């Protein structure tokens, strides 16, 4: 997980906390300045990290566990803390370029004011597993890439491009101009997701945990879909719903 810096929109130097996030950051090519490990750190945590750090010429300093507690107060550091350059958000055009470089039909996620960092982290983790080419979040009224998000994503945020935009509605217009269809998720939609064709260039909008999509964003969508509900509740947790939708896109795009 990551403790954000204080130098501007993307912060200055930041701390990545925990063995899995640190290892994924190293493997992703993230610029790491230094790594601290607790004296007597378990070999299964220190081994792969130490090997990767040595390969990249990154200094590891062994320190008392209390120093790490002070560096990352309230966070479960697992005996490993790294100092990294600030997380750089991508541009929307870069997300589309990812799809082009892979030779794949574009598949993006747009998160309309997802506020719970645990939901955002879980969505990023599933997005990485399902091959989503990028995730777009608004700058206002939305969780950003905080320490909790990075921890919940289990390192996935190091591998999934995330763009932050000022105006989500204008971004949707730009994606339409680029040839993408916009699918919104709405419990009141008339069509279930399993009845819709989703193998075209696509951006799926996931709405706020409580309010769903905003009215303007909903109006911008080309079509709306819902998940079938057979129980007494009429909605799922945002990250769970997003996961079901992502895997339905994967299912429809599998080679025959």
């Amino acid at each position: 997980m990551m403790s954000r810096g204080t130098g501007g929109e993307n912060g200055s130097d930041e701390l990545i906390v925990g063995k899995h996030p640190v290892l994924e950051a190293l493997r992703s090519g993230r610029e790491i300045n230094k790594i601290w490990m607790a004296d007597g750190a378990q070999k299964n945590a220190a081994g792969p990290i130490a090997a990767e750090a040595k390969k990249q010429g990154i200094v590891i300093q062994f320190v008392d566990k209390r120093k790490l507690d002070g560096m990352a107060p309230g966070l479960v550091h697992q005996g490993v803390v790294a100092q990294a350059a600030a997380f750089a958000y991508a541009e929307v055009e870069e997300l589309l370029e990812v799809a082009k470089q892979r030779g794949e039909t574009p598949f993006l996620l747009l998160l309309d004011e997802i506020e719970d960092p645990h939901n955002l982290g879980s969505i990023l983790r599933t997005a990485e597993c399902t091959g989503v080419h990028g995730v777009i979040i608004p700058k206002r009224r939305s969780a950003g890439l905080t320490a909790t998000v990075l921890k919940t994503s289990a390192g996935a945020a190091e591998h999934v491009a995330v763009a932050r935009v000022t105006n989500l509605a204008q971004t949707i217009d730009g994606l339409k101009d680029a040839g993408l269809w916009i699918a919104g998720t709405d419990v009141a939609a008339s069509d279930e997701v399993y009845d819709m064709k989703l193998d075209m260039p696509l951006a799926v909008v996931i709405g706020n945990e409580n309010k769903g999509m905003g009215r303007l964003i909903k109006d911008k969508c080309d079509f709306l879909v819902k998940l079938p509900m057979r129980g007494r509740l009429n909605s799922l947790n945002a990250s769970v719903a997003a996961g079901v939708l992502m895997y339905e896109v994967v299912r429809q795009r599998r080679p025959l």
Side-chain angles (χ1 to χ4, degrees):
M1 51 188 151
M2 182 176 295
S3 175
R4 297 194 63 76
T6 57
E9 180 180 312
N10 284 342
S12 55
D13 286 345
E14 298 177 339
L15 296 182
I16 303 176
V17 180
K19 58 185 181 180
H20 292 302
V22 170
L23 185 57
E24 289 303 321
L26 286 166
R27 289 173 172 170
S28 72
R30 183 81 179 276
E31 183 181 346
I32 305 294
N33 301 322
K34 187 175 180 179
I35 297 173
W36 292 267
M37 283 190 176
D39 290 325
Q42 295 181 349
K43 290 183 178 180
N44 62 349
I49 292 173
E52 192 65 36
K54 182 178 180 181
K55 186 190 306 181
Q56 298 183 30
I58 298 169
V59 174
I60 294 181
Q61 181 179 350
F62 287 88
V63 297
D64 188 280
K65 177 181 176 295
R66 287 173 295 183
K67 177 177 176 64
L68 301 183
D69 293 340
M71 293 174 67
L75 302 179
V76 182
H77 54 69
Q78 300 173 303
V80 183
V81 174
Q83 183 190 62
F87 191 96
Y89 287 98
E91 298 294 332
V92 174
E93 293 76 14
E94 294 178 81
L95 310 188
L96 298 174
E97 185 63 25
V98 171
K100 183 177 179 181
Q101 291 177 357
R102 294 182 188 174
E104 298 173 348
T105 303
F107 177 26
L108 304 181
L109 284 184
L110 285 79
L111 308 184
D112 185 15
E113 299 184 10
I114 293 294
E115 298 175 319
D116 187 334
H118 293 93
N119 279 336
L120 178 54
S122 295
I123 289 170
L124 290 176
R125 186 171 185 173
T126 307
E128 198 283 328
C129 291
T130 54
V132 168
H133 299 117
V135 176
I136 300 173
I137 61 176
K139 289 182 178 179
R140 298 182 60 190
R141 296 186 294 275
S142 174
L145 294 174
T146 63
T148 301
V149 171
L150 272 291
K151 179 187 177 185
T152 308
S153 78
E158 300 291 345
H159 304 287
V160 178
V162 179
R164 279 180 101 185
V165 299
T166 302
N167 190 308
L168 200 60
Q170 290 181 2
T171 299
I172 288 175
D173 289 337
L175 292 175
K176 288 183 176 182
D177 290 341
L180 274 71
W181 290 77
I182 312 299
T185 52
D186 188 346
V187 295
S190 57
D191 296 311
E192 293 188 355
V193 64
Y194 303 122
D195 298 326
M196 300 299 292
K197 182 178 174 65
L198 302 173
D199 59 354
M200 72 284 274
L202 183 70
V204 175
V205 184
I206 305 296
N208 174 270
E209 292 92 341
N210 299 312
K211 301 177 295 183
M213 288 185 298
R215 169 55 59 185
L216 177 59
I217 300 303
K218 185 183 295 187
D219 290 344
K220 291 278 185 182
C221 293
D222 293 305
F223 58 93
L224 302 175
V225 296
K226 65 180 179 182
L227 294 173
M229 296 293 167
R230 300 293 184 260
R232 297 184 179 181
L233 302 181
N234 68 346
S235 66
L236 291 172
N237 169 277
S239 64
V240 174
V244 175
L245 288 158
M246 282 185 265
Y247 269 101
E248 175 59 16
V249 175
V250 170
R251 186 192 69 81
Q252 291 195 23
R253 293 188 177 193
R254 287 185 307 171
L256 296 177

